[in-house]
Amino acid sequence: MIVMKFGGTSVADATAMKTVLSIVRKYSAEPLIVVLSACSGITNKILKAMEISAAGDKNKALDIYREIEIHHLNLINELIDKKKYKEEALKPVKKLLDDLKNFIEAANLLGELTDRTSDSAVANGELLSTNIFEAACRCYGIESVFLDIRNIICTDSAFGSASVDFDETSIAAKETISPLFGNNKPIITQGFIASDSFGRTTTLGRGGSDYSAAIIGWAVDAGEIQIWTDVNGVMSGDPRILKNACTLPEMSFTAIRWASYFGAKVLHPDTIKPALDNNIPVRVLNTFEMENPGTTILNNTGMKRATLQSLVLQKKCMLRKFTFPDNIGSKKTESRFQSLIDALESKVYYQCRAENLEIYLTDVPNHDEELFLGIDFEAAVENIPVSAIFLIGEMLTGMGSGELFSKLGTVFEKYPPEAIFSGMSNEFIVTAFRPDDAESALKALHEIIVSSF
Ligand code: ASP
C-alpha cells in the first residue's frame, strides 16, 4: 500500500491536477491513499481574509474570498468536462465556499480571530481541493473513495499546531481505513487537518501535509510514502551555483536531518519521522517529472564506505574564537557567553571546546553585533567572517574514510579552510572558508560527489 502526498503546487490548477490524475492512474494497481494539500496559495489567502476581516475590513476580506471562489469554480470548469461530475463537484464545493464566507463574516462581526476559528476556516482549503479532485477521479474513470481525515487523525486541542494522539489515530485508522482497502479504489483525503477529541477541527501547523502523510502511512503500515513536490528529490547541492548538481537516489534519515539543520531546503525531517519509526521508506518525487526516480529516504541505506552526498553553503557566518587565560576562566565565563549568543539570536552551527579554547561557528544575524563589544571577558576574542560549507553524507569519518579525506585534502590545499570540524558525527563535516574562496571551494568539493556517481 502506498500513501502519496501532493503539495500545493501539484494541485495548483487544472493542468497540475490532470498530471496528478495520471500519476494516480499509473499507481492504481496498488491500494492507494492520496493526500492532498490545498491549491497553491489558498491557505495564505484564507488566513489573510480571516485576519483582515477580524481587523475590520470586511470588504477587502470578501474580495479575497471572491478570488478563492473564482479559483475553485474555474478549476471545476477546466478540469471536469462532463456535466454529471461537474454537478457532483459543485454541490460540496458550494457548501464549503458558503461555510468559508460565513467564517469570514463572523470574524468581522466578532472583531477577533481565535486559533480555533482560524483552523475551522483554513481547513476549507484542503476540503475544497480534495472534493474537486475526487469528482475529477470519477470523471476520468478512476473509481475512488472520499475520506474526511478529521475522522482519523486525532489531536489535542492546541489549535494552529496540534499534537497527534497516535494511539487514538491508530485505532481510528484500523476501524475506518482498513475496511476501505477491500474496494481497491484510491482513497482521496486531506493533509494538514485533523480533529480533537471533541470533534473540533484542528491543524498540524503550516506545511503540515507531509506530516499527515507520514502519520497515515504509520497508522496503516504502508509499504511506501511518496511525497510529490516540484523538485526532483534531494540534490547534491544548490543547482543555482552548481550547474551539475544531481538528484541523490538514496539518503539516510540522519543525513537528511543534518542537511536540514545546516539550512538545506529539503523537506523537514521531523515531518516524516513517524514513517521512519515504522521503517517505511519515504520517496521524494517530482509531479512535473513523473519518470524521475527522485530520492528515497531510509533509516539505513546499507552504505559500506565513506560517501559524500550533499553540500550546504552558508555564506555569512562567523567563527568566534575565545582564548581564556586558563581553563578555570573558561568555565566561569561559559554561561555568560552562552547567554550572549542567545541574545544575538545566532544560530550555532557548531561549538567545541578544549582546555582554554572555545570556538563557535554561528550565522551572522542582521542586528546588534555590538553586544560582543566592550564585554569584560577574561578572554582574547577573535571574530573571523567566514562562509561555511557543510559536507553531508554517510560514514564520513572514522574507518574507511581515508580515500575521501585524501580527495578533500586536494581541495583544502587549493583553498585552505579557516577551520575543519569533524568526528562528532559520521554524517557531517563542517568546514569554514574565507568568503572569497567559498564558491570555488564548493565547486571543487562538489566534483568529488559528481565523480563518485
Ligand atoms: N495547506 C497547508 C499550508 O499551506 C498545508 C500544506 O500545504 O502542507 O501550510
Side-chain angles (χ1 to χ4, degrees):
M1 206 262 302
I2 302 176
V3 175
M4 33 176 47
K5 174 258 165 177
F6 294 89
T9 48
S10 300
V11 292
D13 52 27
T15 316
M17 274 207 185
K18 279 181 192 166
T19 309
V20 175
L21 280 165
S22 56
I23 295 172
V24 171
R25 191 190 299 284
K26 181 178 160 194
Y27 284 92
S28 61
E30 294 235 22
L32 295 181
I33 301 182
V34 181
V35 179
L36 302 186
S37 290
C39 302
S40 174
I42 294 298
T43 304
N44 284 344
K45 281 193 175 162
I46 297 177
L47 291 173
K48 194 162 174 214
M50 292 295 285
E51 274 160 27
I52 291 176
S53 186
D57 196 343
K58 185 167 149 190
N59 287 338
K60 200 160 166 214
L62 288 177
D63 283 346
I64 300 174
Y65 164 77
R66 268 183 287 278
E67 287 172 26
I68 299 169
E69 180 182 46
I70 290 168
H71 175 85
H72 290 96
L73 297 181
N74 281 347
L75 181 57
I76 294 176
N77 274 332
E78 288 163 20
L79 183 65
I80 305 177
D81 51 9
K82 295 192 185 97
K83 195 164 168 257
K84 173 175 180 266
Y85 299 107
K86 209 172 251 181
E87 275 163 14
E88 281 181 22
L90 273 173
K91 218 168 139 204
V93 163
K94 280 195 167 148
K95 163 90 176 63
L96 290 166
L97 287 168
D98 275 351
D99 287 352
L100 178 59
K101 196 170 177 200
N102 288 337
F103 278 121
I104 293 171
E105 285 175 339
N108 185 260
L109 205 62
L110 293 168
E112 65 163 12
L113 179 59
T114 62
D115 288 341
R116 180 177 163 190
T117 317
S118 177
D119 275 1
S120 295
V122 84
N124 286 291
E126 268 69 13
L127 291 167
L128 283 162
S129 65
T130 45
N131 269 284
I132 295 172
F133 186 78
E134 205 266 326
C137 278
R138 270 177 283 126
C139 178
Y140 287 81
I142 305 170
E143 280 300 311
S144 55
V145 180
F146 181 87
L147 174 72
D148 188 333
I149 203 65
R150 291 174 296 180
N151 298 327
I152 311 289
I153 300 184
C154 184
T155 66
D156 64 9
S157 305
F159 298 100
S161 187
S163 296
V164 176
D165 180 332
F166 282 92
D167 291 339
E168 286 298 320
T169 301
S170 165
I171 294 167
K174 289 202 172 63
E175 274 171 11
T176 313
I177 302 186
S178 302
L180 293 177
F181 284 147
N183 296 330
N184 216 4
K185 296 176 183 170
I187 298 169
I188 314 297
T189 195
Q190 308 77 32
F192 180 51
I193 65 174
S195 72
D196 70 3
S197 55
F198 302 100
R200 299 175 300 188
T201 299
T202 56
T203 59
L204 303 176
R206 290 305 306 271
S209 295
D210 291 344
Y211 191 35
S212 303
I215 296 163
I216 298 166
W218 167 86
V220 300
D221 202 12
E224 177 173 298
I225 294 175
Q226 301 178 346
I227 306 284
W228 290 84
T229 169
D230 52 5
V231 292
N232 286 335
V234 184
M235 304 212 60
S236 55
D238 184 343
R240 287 168 304 182
I241 307 174
L242 301 162
K243 295 289 166 253
N244 53 353
C246 43
T247 303
L248 304 170
E250 277 188 356
M251 204 169 190
S252 77
F253 179 65
T254 320
I256 207 158
R257 179 165 236 164
W258 281 117
S260 164
Y261 177 76
F262 293 127
K265 301 272 175 291
V266 292
L267 83 175
H268 199 294
D270 289 343
T271 64
I272 56 163
K273 195 166 177 303
L276 275 301
D277 284 346
N278 249 10
N279 264 325
I280 304 170
V282 176
R283 279 173 79 194
V284 184
L285 293 154
N286 189 348
T287 306
F288 307 103
E289 251 183 68
M290 211 192 295
E291 300 308 328
N292 192 302
T295 303
T296 304
I297 302 162
L298 299 157
N299 269 330
N300 186 349
T301 58
M303 265 174 207
K304 297 266 184 301
R305 61 189 186 89
T307 313
L308 182 59
Q309 293 179 302
S310 188
L311 302 172
V312 184
L313 169 69
Q314 292 293 349
K315 282 191 173 157
K316 280 179 74 186
C317 292
M318 196 71 88
L319 257 187
R320 305 183 190 281
K321 285 192 189 172
F322 296 82
T323 313
F324 296 92
D326 51 44
N327 197 14
I328 298 167
S330 152
K331 280 197 181 118
K332 267 203 311 210
T333 322
E334 194 177 66
S335 65
R336 184 125 178 267
F337 179 71
Q338 186 61 53
S339 48
L340 271 165
I341 288 276
D342 293 346
L344 268 179
E345 291 166 18
S346 279
K347 174 161 177 144
V348 178
Y349 291 116
Y350 200 85
Q351 171 184 1
C352 61
R353 175 170 159 202
E355 182 64 9
N356 65 334
L357 180 67
E358 183 140 356
I359 300 180
Y360 285 69
L361 175 66
T362 71
D363 68 353
V364 183
N366 288 328
H367 61 282
D368 213 350
E369 273 286 304
E370 304 277 305
L371 271 170
F372 268 90
L373 303 173
I375 41 165
D376 59 345
F377 282 130
E378 300 159 31
V381 186
E382 205 184 341
N383 282 328
I384 308 165
V386 289
S387 292
I389 301 177
F390 302 99
L391 285 58
I392 314 288
E394 285 197 54
M395 321 260 302
L396 291 183
T397 55
M399 290 275 282
S401 55
E403 196 188 326
L404 173 67
F405 267 84
S406 88
K407 288 181 186 166
L408 294 177
T410 316
V411 178
F412 296 158
E413 255 169 46
K414 203 160 173 206
Y415 308 103
E418 294 283 353
I420 305 169
F421 304 108
S422 80
M424 184 183 160
S425 153
N426 258 328
E427 281 87 10
F428 70 81
I429 297 169
V430 177
T431 59
F433 292 87
R434 286 191 299 121
D436 286 349
D437 282 347
E439 282 206 9
S440 309
L442 183 82
K443 286 176 184 154
L445 289 168
H446 190 249
E447 285 312 308
I448 300 177
I449 301 180
V450 173
S451 66
S452 71
F453 266 95

